[in-house]
PDB file of all heavy atoms in Angstrom:
ATOM      1  N   THR A  20       6.904  -8.883 -24.407  1.00 59.00           N
ATOM      2  CA  THR A  20       7.857  -8.357 -23.508  1.00 59.00           C
ATOM      3  C   THR A  20       8.511  -9.532 -22.654  1.00 59.00           C
ATOM      4  O   THR A  20       9.728  -9.509 -22.453  1.00 59.00           O
ATOM      5  CB  THR A  20       7.231  -7.338 -22.544  1.00 59.00           C
ATOM      6  OG1 THR A  20       6.749  -6.355 -23.373  1.00 59.00           O
ATOM      7  CG2 THR A  20       8.296  -6.667 -21.692  1.00 59.00           C
ATOM      8  N   LEU A  67     -14.596  -1.654   1.043  1.00 95.00           N
ATOM      9  CA  LEU A  67     -15.102  -2.959   0.576  1.00 95.00           C
ATOM     10  C   LEU A  67     -14.412  -4.064   1.197  1.00 95.00           C
ATOM     11  O   LEU A  67     -13.196  -4.157   1.211  1.00 95.00           O
ATOM     12  CB  LEU A  67     -15.076  -3.077  -0.979  1.00 95.00           C
ATOM     13  CG  LEU A  67     -15.664  -4.218  -1.608  1.00 95.00           C
ATOM     14  CD1 LEU A  67     -17.178  -4.257  -1.400  1.00 95.00           C
ATOM     15  CD2 LEU A  67     -15.351  -4.297  -3.095  1.00 95.00           C
ATOM     16  N   THR A  79     -12.753 -10.050 -10.445  1.00 93.00           N
ATOM     17  CA  THR A  79     -14.180  -9.406 -10.476  1.00 93.00           C
ATOM     18  C   THR A  79     -13.964  -7.924 -10.227  1.00 93.00           C
ATOM     19  O   THR A  79     -14.872  -7.104 -10.733  1.00 93.00           O
ATOM     20  CB  THR A  79     -14.781  -9.979  -9.237  1.00 93.00           C
ATOM     21  OG1 THR A  79     -14.948 -11.349  -9.436  1.00 93.00           O
ATOM     22  CG2 THR A  79     -16.322  -9.453  -9.152  1.00 93.00           C
ATOM     23  N   PRO A  94       0.698 -13.027   2.514  1.00 89.00           N
ATOM     24  CA  PRO A  94       0.169 -14.307   2.033  1.00 89.00           C
ATOM     25  C   PRO A  94       0.636 -15.377   2.958  1.00 89.00           C
ATOM     26  O   PRO A  94       1.417 -15.264   3.866  1.00 89.00           O
ATOM     27  CB  PRO A  94       0.866 -14.389   0.702  1.00 89.00           C
ATOM     28  CG  PRO A  94       2.163 -13.574   0.777  1.00 89.00           C
ATOM     29  CD  PRO A  94       1.776 -12.447   1.777  1.00 89.00           C
ATOM     30  N   TYR A 137       1.845 -17.280  -8.141  1.00 91.00           N
ATOM     31  CA  TYR A 137       2.221 -16.507  -9.504  1.00 91.00           C
ATOM     32  C   TYR A 137       1.027 -15.920 -10.131  1.00 91.00           C
ATOM     33  O   TYR A 137       1.210 -14.607 -10.424  1.00 91.00           O
ATOM     34  CB  TYR A 137       2.965 -17.553 -10.370  1.00 91.00           C
ATOM     35  CG  TYR A 137       3.690 -16.895 -11.509  1.00 91.00           C
ATOM     36  CD1 TYR A 137       5.034 -16.456 -11.396  1.00 91.00           C
ATOM     37  CD2 TYR A 137       3.078 -16.847 -12.832  1.00 91.00           C
ATOM     38  CE1 TYR A 137       5.724 -15.905 -12.425  1.00 91.00           C
ATOM     39  CE2 TYR A 137       3.692 -16.170 -13.745  1.00 91.00           C
ATOM     40  CZ  TYR A 137       5.088 -15.740 -13.688  1.00 91.00           C
ATOM     41  OH  TYR A 137       5.763 -15.136 -14.724  1.00 91.00           O
ATOM     42  N   GLY A 166      10.953 -13.524  -4.134  1.00 92.00           N
ATOM     43  CA  GLY A 166      11.799 -12.422  -4.641  1.00 92.00           C
ATOM     44  C   GLY A 166      12.123 -12.614  -6.125  1.00 92.00           C
ATOM     45  O   GLY A 166      12.080 -11.655  -6.878  1.00 92.00           O
ATOM     46  N   VAL A 204       9.701  -7.587   4.371  1.00 92.00           N
ATOM     47  CA  VAL A 204       8.603  -6.915   3.460  1.00 92.00           C
ATOM     48  C   VAL A 204       9.267  -6.644   2.325  1.00 92.00           C
ATOM     49  O   VAL A 204      10.166  -5.809   2.192  1.00 92.00           O
ATOM     50  CB  VAL A 204       7.894  -5.653   4.065  1.00 92.00           C
ATOM     51  CG1 VAL A 204       6.808  -5.174   3.260  1.00 92.00           C
ATOM     52  CG2 VAL A 204       7.377  -6.050   5.432  1.00 92.00           C
ATOM     53  N   PRO A 232      22.703  23.883  23.701  1.00 94.00           N
ATOM     54  CA  PRO A 232      23.601  23.992  24.619  1.00 94.00           C
ATOM     55  C   PRO A 232      24.349  25.351  24.674  1.00 94.00           C
ATOM     56  O   PRO A 232      24.921  25.796  25.745  1.00 94.00           O
ATOM     57  CB  PRO A 232      24.644  22.910  24.379  1.00 94.00           C
ATOM     58  CG  PRO A 232      24.544  22.590  22.966  1.00 94.00           C
ATOM     59  CD  PRO A 232      23.097  22.793  22.631  1.00 94.00           C
ATOM     60  N   PRO A 262      41.093  29.036  14.789  1.00 97.00           N
ATOM     61  CA  PRO A 262      41.030  30.297  15.402  1.00 97.00           C
ATOM     62  C   PRO A 262      41.377  30.365  16.886  1.00 97.00           C
ATOM     63  O   PRO A 262      41.700  31.366  17.443  1.00 97.00           O
ATOM     64  CB  PRO A 262      39.519  30.852  15.166  1.00 97.00           C
ATOM     65  CG  PRO A 262      38.677  29.497  15.093  1.00 97.00           C
ATOM     66  CD  PRO A 262      39.713  28.606  14.315  1.00 97.00           C
ATOM     67  N   PHE A 278      32.070  22.928   2.995  1.00 92.00           N
ATOM     68  CA  PHE A 278      31.799  24.166   2.364  1.00 92.00           C
ATOM     69  C   PHE A 278      32.800  24.547   1.406  1.00 92.00           C
ATOM     70  O   PHE A 278      34.044  24.256   1.530  1.00 92.00           O
ATOM     71  CB  PHE A 278      31.713  25.223   3.465  1.00 92.00           C
ATOM     72  CG  PHE A 278      30.860  24.878   4.635  1.00 92.00           C
ATOM     73  CD1 PHE A 278      31.389  24.429   5.771  1.00 92.00           C
ATOM     74  CD2 PHE A 278      29.424  24.933   4.468  1.00 92.00           C
ATOM     75  CE1 PHE A 278      30.408  24.189   6.872  1.00 92.00           C
ATOM     76  CE2 PHE A 278      28.648  24.634   5.539  1.00 92.00           C
ATOM     77  CZ  PHE A 278      29.159  24.141   6.743  1.00 92.00           C
ATOM     78  N   GLY A 291      35.865  36.116  14.705  1.00 96.00           N
ATOM     79  CA  GLY A 291      36.600  37.506  15.120  1.00 96.00           C
ATOM     80  C   GLY A 291      37.867  37.742  14.360  1.00 96.00           C
ATOM     81  O   GLY A 291      38.383  38.876  14.426  1.00 96.00           O
ATOM     82  N   VAL A 309      44.394  31.515   6.047  1.00 96.00           N
ATOM     83  CA  VAL A 309      45.107  31.743   7.313  1.00 96.00           C
ATOM     84  C   VAL A 309      44.702  33.074   7.925  1.00 96.00           C
ATOM     85  O   VAL A 309      44.185  34.063   7.137  1.00 96.00           O
ATOM     86  CB  VAL A 309      46.584  31.664   7.109  1.00 96.00           C
ATOM     87  CG1 VAL A 309      47.067  30.334   6.645  1.00 96.00           C
ATOM     88  CG2 VAL A 309      47.031  32.723   6.010  1.00 96.00           C
ATOM     89  N   ARG A 324      34.181  35.331  21.908  1.00 96.00           N
ATOM     90  CA  ARG A 324      32.815  34.879  21.086  1.00 96.00           C
ATOM     91  C   ARG A 324      32.211  33.541  21.728  1.00 96.00           C
ATOM     92  O   ARG A 324      31.045  33.370  21.705  1.00 96.00           O
ATOM     93  CB  ARG A 324      33.265  34.702  19.656  1.00 96.00           C
ATOM     94  CG  ARG A 324      32.096  34.321  18.776  1.00 96.00           C
ATOM     95  CD  ARG A 324      31.177  35.529  18.596  1.00 96.00           C
ATOM     96  NE  ARG A 324      29.852  35.159  17.739  1.00 96.00           N
ATOM     97  CZ  ARG A 324      28.920  34.453  18.291  1.00 96.00           C
ATOM     98  NH1 ARG A 324      28.821  34.005  19.527  1.00 96.00           N
ATOM     99  NH2 ARG A 324      27.895  34.150  17.434  1.00 96.00           N
ATOM    100  N   ASP A 368       7.727  -3.200  20.010  1.00 52.00           N
ATOM    101  CA  ASP A 368       7.796  -4.022  21.322  1.00 52.00           C
ATOM    102  C   ASP A 368       6.447  -3.736  22.100  1.00 52.00           C
ATOM    103  O   ASP A 368       6.028  -4.689  22.915  1.00 52.00           O
ATOM    104  CB  ASP A 368       8.921  -3.567  22.159  1.00 52.00           C
ATOM    105  CG  ASP A 368       8.917  -2.167  22.407  1.00 52.00           C
ATOM    106  OD1 ASP A 368       8.129  -1.335  21.923  1.00 52.00           O
ATOM    107  OD2 ASP A 368       9.794  -1.734  23.305  1.00 52.00           O
ATOM    108  N   ALA A 376      -7.322   4.867  23.974  1.00 31.00           N
ATOM    109  CA  ALA A 376      -7.200   3.394  24.338  1.00 31.00           C
ATOM    110  C   ALA A 376      -5.729   3.295  25.007  1.00 31.00           C
ATOM    111  O   ALA A 376      -4.700   3.782  24.592  1.00 31.00           O
ATOM    112  CB  ALA A 376      -7.228   2.511  23.175  1.00 31.00           C
ATOM    113  N   HIS A 380       1.103  -2.702  30.324  1.00 28.00           N
ATOM    114  CA  HIS A 380       2.561  -2.589  29.861  1.00 28.00           C
ATOM    115  C   HIS A 380       3.108  -3.989  30.170  1.00 28.00           C
ATOM    116  O   HIS A 380       3.576  -4.236  31.422  1.00 28.00           O
ATOM    117  CB  HIS A 380       3.248  -1.397  30.583  1.00 28.00           C
ATOM    118  CG  HIS A 380       4.656  -1.181  30.190  1.00 28.00           C
ATOM    119  ND1 HIS A 380       5.021  -0.539  29.137  1.00 28.00           N
ATOM    120  CD2 HIS A 380       5.751  -1.633  30.810  1.00 28.00           C
ATOM    121  CE1 HIS A 380       6.382  -0.562  28.974  1.00 28.00           C
ATOM    122  NE2 HIS A 380       6.857  -1.294  30.063  1.00 28.00           N
ATOM    123  N   SER A 383       6.736  -8.506  25.629  1.00 27.00           N
ATOM    124  CA  SER A 383       6.310  -9.605  24.887  1.00 27.00           C
ATOM    125  C   SER A 383       7.025  -9.515  23.445  1.00 27.00           C
ATOM    126  O   SER A 383       7.722  -8.512  23.206  1.00 27.00           O
ATOM    127  CB  SER A 383       4.831  -9.586  24.624  1.00 27.00           C
ATOM    128  OG  SER A 383       4.600  -8.518  23.795  1.00 27.00           O
ATOM    129  N   THR A 394      -6.508  -9.043  20.224  1.00 83.00           N
ATOM    130  CA  THR A 394      -7.239  -9.568  21.346  1.00 83.00           C
ATOM    131  C   THR A 394      -7.981  -8.380  22.208  1.00 83.00           C
ATOM    132  O   THR A 394      -9.020  -8.444  22.638  1.00 83.00           O
ATOM    133  CB  THR A 394      -6.329 -10.155  22.443  1.00 83.00           C
ATOM    134  OG1 THR A 394      -5.795 -11.345  21.741  1.00 83.00           O
ATOM    135  CG2 THR A 394      -6.931 -10.718  23.593  1.00 83.00           C
ATOM    136  N   HIS A 401      -9.612 -16.011  19.481  1.00 75.00           N
ATOM    137  CA  HIS A 401      -9.796 -15.800  17.997  1.00 75.00           C
ATOM    138  C   HIS A 401      -8.888 -16.814  17.271  1.00 75.00           C
ATOM    139  O   HIS A 401      -9.061 -17.019  16.053  1.00 75.00           O
ATOM    140  CB  HIS A 401      -9.270 -14.334  17.649  1.00 75.00           C
ATOM    141  CG  HIS A 401      -8.000 -13.880  18.304  1.00 75.00           C
ATOM    142  ND1 HIS A 401      -6.799 -14.474  17.894  1.00 75.00           N
ATOM    143  CD2 HIS A 401      -7.761 -13.061  19.258  1.00 75.00           C
ATOM    144  CE1 HIS A 401      -5.890 -13.794  18.510  1.00 75.00           C
ATOM    145  NE2 HIS A 401      -6.429 -12.971  19.493  1.00 75.00           N
ATOM    146  N   GLY A 464     -16.457 -24.612   7.775  1.00 56.00           N
ATOM    147  CA  GLY A 464     -17.488 -23.875   8.262  1.00 56.00           C
ATOM    148  C   GLY A 464     -17.150 -22.616   9.045  1.00 56.00           C
ATOM    149  O   GLY A 464     -17.876 -21.942   9.733  1.00 56.00           O
ATOM    150  N   ALA A 512     -30.950 -14.446 -15.539  1.00 90.00           N
ATOM    151  CA  ALA A 512     -31.711 -15.266 -14.509  1.00 90.00           C
ATOM    152  C   ALA A 512     -31.721 -14.597 -13.288  1.00 90.00           C
ATOM    153  O   ALA A 512     -32.415 -15.275 -12.270  1.00 90.00           O
ATOM    154  CB  ALA A 512     -31.065 -16.636 -14.625  1.00 90.00           C
ATOM    155  N   ARG A 532     -14.086  13.329  -9.202  1.00 48.00           N
ATOM    156  CA  ARG A 532     -14.208  13.331  -7.647  1.00 48.00           C
ATOM    157  C   ARG A 532     -14.319  11.815  -7.307  1.00 48.00           C
ATOM    158  O   ARG A 532     -14.637  11.558  -6.235  1.00 48.00           O
ATOM    159  CB  ARG A 532     -15.393  14.082  -7.041  1.00 48.00           C
ATOM    160  CG  ARG A 532     -15.195  15.626  -7.238  1.00 48.00           C
ATOM    161  CD  ARG A 532     -16.691  16.184  -7.036  1.00 48.00           C
ATOM    162  NE  ARG A 532     -17.154  15.749  -5.778  1.00 48.00           N
ATOM    163  CZ  ARG A 532     -18.623  15.860  -5.614  1.00 48.00           C
ATOM    164  NH1 ARG A 532     -19.336  16.333  -6.536  1.00 48.00           N
ATOM    165  NH2 ARG A 532     -19.003  15.375  -4.533  1.00 48.00           N
ATOM    166  N   ARG A 546     -39.204   2.602  -7.060  1.00 95.00           N
ATOM    167  CA  ARG A 546     -39.428   1.518  -7.873  1.00 95.00           C
ATOM    168  C   ARG A 546     -38.278   1.144  -8.843  1.00 95.00           C
ATOM    169  O   ARG A 546     -37.932   0.067  -9.056  1.00 95.00           O
ATOM    170  CB  ARG A 546     -40.648   1.791  -8.843  1.00 95.00           C
ATOM    171  CG  ARG A 546     -41.021   0.564  -9.713  1.00 95.00           C
ATOM    172  CD  ARG A 546     -42.339   0.872 -10.441  1.00 95.00           C
ATOM    173  NE  ARG A 546     -42.775  -0.398 -11.312  1.00 95.00           N
ATOM    174  CZ  ARG A 546     -43.668  -0.351 -12.104  1.00 95.00           C
ATOM    175  NH1 ARG A 546     -44.549   0.665 -12.197  1.00 95.00           N
ATOM    176  NH2 ARG A 546     -43.985  -1.436 -12.829  1.00 95.00           N
ATOM    177  N   VAL A 549     -31.963   2.814  -7.979  1.00 96.00           N
ATOM    178  CA  VAL A 549     -31.278   1.901  -7.099  1.00 96.00           C
ATOM    179  C   VAL A 549     -29.916   2.529  -6.560  1.00 96.00           C
ATOM    180  O   VAL A 549     -29.432   2.099  -5.456  1.00 96.00           O
ATOM    181  CB  VAL A 549     -30.865   0.722  -7.908  1.00 96.00           C
ATOM    182  CG1 VAL A 549     -32.193  -0.074  -8.215  1.00 96.00           C
ATOM    183  CG2 VAL A 549     -30.106   0.919  -9.060  1.00 96.00           C
ATOM    184  N   ILE A 591     -29.940  13.799 -15.050  1.00 93.00           N
ATOM    185  CA  ILE A 591     -29.241  12.988 -15.971  1.00 93.00           C
ATOM    186  C   ILE A 591     -29.510  11.517 -15.371  1.00 93.00           C
ATOM    187  O   ILE A 591     -29.094  11.229 -14.343  1.00 93.00           O
ATOM    188  CB  ILE A 591     -27.658  13.176 -15.947  1.00 93.00           C
ATOM    189  CG1 ILE A 591     -27.527  14.775 -16.394  1.00 93.00           C
ATOM    190  CG2 ILE A 591     -26.959  12.365 -16.795  1.00 93.00           C
ATOM    191  CD1 ILE A 591     -26.084  15.193 -16.260  1.00 93.00           C
ATOM    192  N   ASP A 618     -18.515  -4.093 -18.188  1.00 90.00           N
ATOM    193  CA  ASP A 618     -18.040  -3.491 -17.009  1.00 90.00           C
ATOM    194  C   ASP A 618     -17.228  -4.479 -16.031  1.00 90.00           C
ATOM    195  O   ASP A 618     -16.376  -4.071 -15.283  1.00 90.00           O
ATOM    196  CB  ASP A 618     -19.023  -2.934 -16.270  1.00 90.00           C
ATOM    197  CG  ASP A 618     -19.459  -1.532 -16.847  1.00 90.00           C
ATOM    198  OD1 ASP A 618     -18.855  -0.982 -17.712  1.00 90.00           O
ATOM    199  OD2 ASP A 618     -20.647  -0.958 -16.410  1.00 90.00           O
TER     200      ASP A 618
END
Side-chain angles (χ1 to χ4, degrees):
T20 302
L67 181 65
T79 303
Y137 196 83
V204 183
F278 307 105
V309 299
R324 181 67 185 82
D368 57 352
H380 185 78
S383 65
T394 301
H401 48 71
R532 289 166 48 198
R546 181 176 181 184
V549 294
I591 300 173
D618 283 349

